[in-house]
Amino acid sequence: MTASARPQTLWLGRWGFVLAATGSSVGLGNIWKFPYMTGEYGGGAFVLVYLLCIALIGVPIMMAEIAVGRRGRANPVEAVRQVARESGRSRLWSGLGWMSMICGFMILSFYVVVAGWSISYLWKSVSGGLHADSVAGMAAIFKANNANPWNLGFWSTLVTIVTMLIVGKGVQAGIERSVRWMMPGLVIMLALMIVYAIVSADFEAGFHFLFAFNLDNLTGEAVLAAMGHAFFTLSLAAGAIIAYGAYLPANQSIVRTTLTVAICDTLVALMAGLAIFPVIFANGMDPDSGPGLIFMSLPLAFQAMPFGGVMAAVFFLMLTVAALTSSISMIEATVAWLNQSHGLSRRRASWGVGIVLWLVSTLAMLSFNVGADWTLAGKHFFDWLDFLTSRLMMPLGGLGMAILTGFFLRRHIVREELAMPTWLFALWQFALRYVCPIAIVLVFLDALGWLGSGLDWRWLAGMLVVGLLVELGLRARASIRDRAPVR
Ligand code: TRP
């Protein structure tokens, strides 16, 4: 079916896209991962590099994804094929759409397990099951929660069902309607947590930790981790933003919406840090306890504080809401694809996808109990899903998107979609052509272990030279073409 033959669904409200895309971006990545990464990589300097990655890599790629989605007006597979065709490029580019759609599905398969942790912790904090004397005691609670597959499976199944129900209802009646109240709710809860941190916890210590700039802590590994996280937190290269972009009305500015989403996402990550670290420091605990930070240290810290029980419940409710608005975005691409390319109704598509998702996520969930020794090359299924998506598919997808929009799409198409002043366009193109690919290739080299102890100036210099040569070559070719007689 061609894009124009299909009745077009668009976001109803002026804020529809921004709310949904912010909901997609703001998730476990912001509240669970960003604080613990900042804790592990030592605070302020990591935050600064992360901000640079968002601005120089995340924002340009996000604009590209929204532009492709809106131009193609369809799910990622169709949208990428459509824009490539419009530029006279190979239909093989749709492989990029395939990869991102599958990547979103794979992320969701382990994401629902982590989202299940947050709902189960919400339940525990309301029902009084979250009491221990030490971090070790909290760790035991966490372990016990994982050990029983029926228990853990119950929570991840619940997340799967709620996600598929929302997506099955459709873009406007399901996704848009739910984010319209979930997002404001999330902001209110976050604001409450920060006021609490200011009033009852060691806000100054938390603030200092997040923003004190200490270059000594900045390792090459931290830089690469910051880059990978920029992708994850903005929901890039996994179909979500392309899929949502397909519903963006033609009169809304891609530049402005992208900036709004990126700024909101960053603010929430920083605010989550400002809500969590003061509580940790007020109790004399360490910020670098890794992934267990919010499931072990934080509940213990709350326990020792006034209204700690209530605040723990607010915190886990906030986490659950943030996770849900992200989950729905990860599966929208697949549901839209079945709906548009295979004619299934959204409801059916959603049930079908939900069942496959449930099977795969159950396998991921079993990594924590029954399947504790089902490993391949030392990794559980859960870890494999995480590894393949964030180390391989997301960087590769980002690279593909940067190259497609930076080099292969017709200039007028991109200019029409992005509608920005020439100097800004030049900057955007430079970021996509050179900054993003170089940064992403570095991530790969690191993943393959070729960077050894970290970034090396020789790699950077070498790649800059290659970039320069490519740009010169392109310019030379363009000027030859301009001088050719018109036939
Ligand atoms: N951005 C979300 C977070 O920070 C996760 C997420 C949602 C995501 N949709 C995505 C990550 C698509 C990659 C791709 O938790």
Side-chain angles (χ1 to χ4, degrees), residues 100-115:
S100 53
M101 187 174 84
I102 292 171
C103 181
F105 183 91
M106 287 170 67
I107 295 176
L108 189 54
S109 305
F110 71 89
Y111 203 82
V112 294
V113 180
V114 184

Side-chain angles (χ1 to χ4, degrees), residues 225-282:
M227 238 180 298
H229 189 60
F231 270 97
F232 187 82
T233 192
L234 290 179
S235 305
L236 298 177
I241 298 298
I242 305 182
Y244 279 2
Y247 314 127
L248 183 69
N251 61 4
Q252 288 190 17
S253 154
I254 291 183
V255 179
R256 212 173 301 149
T257 45
T258 301
L259 288 179
T260 313
V261 173
I263 289 172
C264 291
D265 180 67
T266 307
L267 283 180
V268 172
L270 294 176
M271 281 166 72
L274 286 180
I276 292 169
F277 288 121
V279 176
I280 297 289
F281 288 129

Side-chain angles (χ1 to χ4, degrees), residues 136 248 332 354 382 398 417 423 450:
L248 183 69
E332 168 59 22
F382 181 97
E417 288 301 323
W423 65 272
W450 289 4

Side-chain angles (χ1 to χ4, degrees), residues 5 12 106 176 183 193 269 278 301 340 349 354 429 433 450 467 478 481:
L12 280 174
M106 287 170 67
E176 189 168 359
M183 292 315 287
M193 302 263 335
Q340 296 161 354
Q429 203 170 40
R433 283 187 171 176
W450 289 4
R481 211 193 289 136

Side-chain angles (χ1 to χ4, degrees), residues 107-348:
I107 295 176
L108 189 54
S109 305
F110 71 89
Y111 203 82
V112 294
V113 180
V114 184
W117 289 343
S118 36
I119 304 203
S120 65
Y121 267 64
L122 170 61
W123 171 245
K124 276 186 205 303
S125 54
V126 176
S127 65
L130 205 52
H131 279 285
D133 315 324
S134 58
V135 176
M138 281 294 172
I141 294 184
F142 189 68
K143 252 189 154 163
N145 193 41
N146 281 342
N148 181 344
W150 295 104
N151 171 65
L152 193 59
F154 170 79
W155 298 110
S156 53
T157 304
L158 188 63
V159 177
T160 309
I161 292 176
V162 175
T163 303
M164 298 324 297
L165 277 177
I166 297 178
V167 178
K169 279 194 165 220
V171 176
Q172 296 162 343
I175 299 176
E176 189 168 359
R177 219 170 87 192
S178 63
V179 293
R180 215 182 278 156
W181 58 269
M182 286 205 272
M183 292 315 287
L186 194 136
V187 171
I188 292 171
M189 287 187 272
L190 191 54
L192 189 72
M193 302 263 335
I194 294 212
V195 172
Y196 179 81
I198 294 176
V199 176
S200 325
D202 195 347
F203 191 75
E204 209 186 306
F207 191 88
H208 188 76
F209 178 71
L210 269 182
F211 296 111
F213 186 68
N214 182 356
L215 254 188
D216 295 346
N217 288 336
L218 204 60
T219 58
E221 191 197 334
V223 176
L224 297 165
M227 238 180 298
H229 189 60
F231 270 97
F232 187 82
T233 192
L234 290 179
S235 305
L236 298 177
I241 298 298
I242 305 182
Y244 279 2
Y247 314 127
L248 183 69
N251 61 4
Q252 288 190 17
S253 154
I254 291 183
V255 179
R256 212 173 301 149
T257 45
T258 301
L259 288 179
T260 313
V261 173
I263 289 172
C264 291
D265 180 67
T266 307
L267 283 180
V268 172
L270 294 176
M271 281 166 72
L274 286 180
I276 292 169
F277 288 121
V279 176
I280 297 289
F281 288 129
N283 290 276
M285 299 165 101
D286 286 328
D288 57 354
S289 57
L293 181 68
I294 66 168
F295 291 108
M296 300 170 200
S297 312
L298 192 66
L300 188 71
F302 272 134
Q303 206 179 284
M305 298 179 65
F307 304 108
V310 181
M311 292 316 287
V314 171
F315 178 79
F316 287 110
L317 179 61
M318 173 175 89
L319 190 65
T320 304
V321 169
L324 266 180
T325 56
S326 297
S327 315
I328 54 183
S329 77
M330 282 180 244
I331 208 65
E332 168 59 22
T334 313
V335 170
W337 170 71
L338 279 175
N339 174 241
Q340 296 161 354
S341 306
H342 293 275
L344 264 69
S345 72
R346 281 196 64 107
R347 194 168 297 251
R348 277 191 181 207

